[in-house]
Amino acid sequence: MDYYTTNIRKAVDFIEENISCQVKLSEVASSAGYSEYHFQRLFSGAVGEPLRDYIRKRKLTNAAKQLTTTETRILDLAIESGFESQEAFTRAFKRMFRLSPGAFRKNKTTPYFQGREKLNDSMLAQLVSKFFIEHEVVEWPERCFEGVGRAFGDDIFGQVYELWGEFSTRLEEIQGMIAGESYGICMGSDPDIPRNDDTTICYVAAVEVNDENVALPEGMLLRKLPAARYAKFSHSGPLLEFQNTLDYVWGSFLPQAKYKRLEAPDLEVYPKDFDPTANEVTIHLYIPIES
């Protein structure tokens, strides 16, 4: 297996080794040698579901097996599976298996075909890439951006849309703005953006500015990105299909690329005439890579 899929397998093994413990996403990412932000996007793109969901399903599947093979109390299984209460565990279990834990145990139902199997090498190989998008490698000089930032969970598209709507009403407050493209700066964490337990990405809706020393409007952030090398991808099509492009980049391109991603912010670049309501849009995606 190649570099990326091998490291996904390391994380999968770490999850299995700690299936009865409280597993933090940061610990899973660290086991594979990545930042939490990078690994969550890589895993979601390759596997087709968020890392948090995979862990939860594996824990529930493990609990289901224990229900049919042991006498462990349901409350203990709930705690081992990372739930705060037996009630919360029962709700999640019933959504996945369509039976309460008690009924599942009584019926001696096997979870083999209902649960989430552990990912193996063959499954990972099949998941990597379903289509291909051309890319080019570009060099960017140091640049400064000013904008508004928020932290988001797995389902970010609606929230990002709202953030851009908020930011668009404040453009006249920005001094030294370079007219033209707009930028979505994506990263795992930012010192000025509060995170919570569900945070998977910190996002700044921004424009480029020509001076980093101007006074900042209240609630806005200034971020200077150093000179870097990027792999540039272009999405052309319905806005709702932009996720397909992201899945390709993280789930197919990076696992097979000859170069590695640099731990730095990704950039979504929106043309001057970008219209989110149009039938087709163009968005350029820049992924920092090692030189």
Side-chain angles (χ1 to χ4, degrees), residues 218-266:
E218 183 178 357
M220 287 201 185
L221 306 173
L222 182 74
R223 291 295 176 264
K224 180 192 292 187
L225 299 186
R229 189 181 187 212
Y230 293 88
K232 175 188 175 184
F233 302 82
S234 295
H235 167 81
S236 295
L239 179 59
L240 290 177
E241 293 182 6
F242 182 48
Q243 183 63 51
N244 294 337
T245 300
L246 294 175
D247 287 346
Y248 164 74
V249 171
W250 288 94
S252 177
F253 171 77
L254 287 176
Q256 301 184 78
K258 61 184 177 182
Y259 28 67
K260 299 177 184 177
R261 181 189 178 278
L262 188 68
E263 287 295 345
D266 306 325

Side-chain angles (χ1 to χ4, degrees), residues 159-261:
Q159 298 173 80
V160 167
Y161 185 83
E162 292 178 1
L163 180 63
W164 276 108
E166 173 190 337
F167 179 57
S168 66
T169 66
R170 302 190 62 188
L171 291 175
E172 63 182 22
E173 301 176 40
I174 298 175
Q175 301 178 33
M177 180 175 68
I178 298 176
E181 298 170 320
S182 300
Y183 303 82
I185 305 174
C186 312
M187 53 212 150
S189 63
D190 184 280
D192 298 314
I193 300 178
R195 290 172 54 95
N196 55 47
D197 291 341
D198 295 328
T199 296
T200 60
I201 184 173
C202 290
Y203 188 100
V204 179
V207 292
E208 188 175 3
V209 293
N210 57 24
D211 187 352
E212 64 179 288
N213 297 312
V214 297
L216 271 178
E218 183 178 357
M220 287 201 185
L221 306 173
L222 182 74
R223 291 295 176 264
K224 180 192 292 187
L225 299 186
R229 189 181 187 212
Y230 293 88
K232 175 188 175 184
F233 302 82
S234 295
H235 167 81
S236 295
L239 179 59
L240 290 177
E241 293 182 6
F242 182 48
Q243 183 63 51
N244 294 337
T245 300
L246 294 175
D247 287 346
Y248 164 74
V249 171
W250 288 94
S252 177
F253 171 77
L254 287 176
Q256 301 184 78
K258 61 184 177 182
Y259 28 67
K260 299 177 184 177
R261 181 189 178 278

Side-chain angles (χ1 to χ4, degrees), residues 67-164:
L67 282 170
T68 59
T69 59
T70 74
E71 297 299 321
T72 305
R73 295 189 310 161
I74 293 175
L75 175 59
D76 293 335
L77 288 176
I79 295 172
E80 287 182 3
S81 300
F83 291 87
E84 295 181 355
S85 68
Q86 184 172 326
E87 291 75 16
F89 171 71
T90 297
R91 288 194 298 270
F93 191 95
K94 195 169 184 178
R95 281 197 299 269
M96 184 167 180
F97 294 104
R98 299 185 180 180
L99 288 171
S100 68
F104 193 95
R105 169 171 272 167
K106 181 182 294 186
N107 291 349
K108 300 294 183 182
T109 305
T110 173
Y112 183 77
F113 292 109
Q114 301 178 62
R116 184 44 156 120
E117 293 183 72
K118 173 188 172 182
L119 288 170
N120 56 39
D121 293 352
S122 176
M123 293 164 69
L124 283 172
Q126 291 176 17
L127 287 167
V128 171
S129 198
K130 300 175 179 62
F131 64 103
F132 179 77
I133 299 174
E134 293 285 350
H135 76 280
E136 61 178 312
V137 175
V138 298
E139 304 278 348
W140 266 18
E142 180 181 86
R143 302 170 79 167
C144 290
F145 302 90
E146 188 173 320
V148 177
R150 296 284 187 279
F152 301 122
D154 294 318
D155 184 16
I156 73 169
F157 279 93
Q159 298 173 80
V160 167
Y161 185 83
E162 292 178 1
L163 180 63
W164 276 108

Side-chain angles (χ1 to χ4, degrees), residues 23-95:
V23 181
K24 295 182 179 179
L25 300 185
S26 58
E27 294 173 340
V28 177
S30 179
S31 73
Y34 299 101
S35 69
E36 182 180 342
Y37 164 76
H38 183 179
F39 188 71
Q40 285 196 85
R41 300 200 81 173
L42 174 64
F43 188 93
S44 180
V47 178
E49 66 180 322
L51 176 61
R52 181 183 290 105
D53 288 356
Y54 174 81
I55 294 173
R56 177 178 53 79
K57 291 176 182 178
R58 284 298 302 140
K59 283 180 170 291
L60 287 170
T61 300
N62 181 64
K65 290 179 179 178
Q66 291 193 62
L67 282 170
T68 59
T69 59
T70 74
E71 297 299 321
T72 305
R73 295 189 310 161
I74 293 175
L75 175 59
D76 293 335
L77 288 176
I79 295 172
E80 287 182 3
S81 300
F83 291 87
E84 295 181 355
S85 68
Q86 184 172 326
E87 291 75 16
F89 171 71
T90 297
R91 288 194 298 270
F93 191 95
K94 195 169 184 178
R95 281 197 299 269

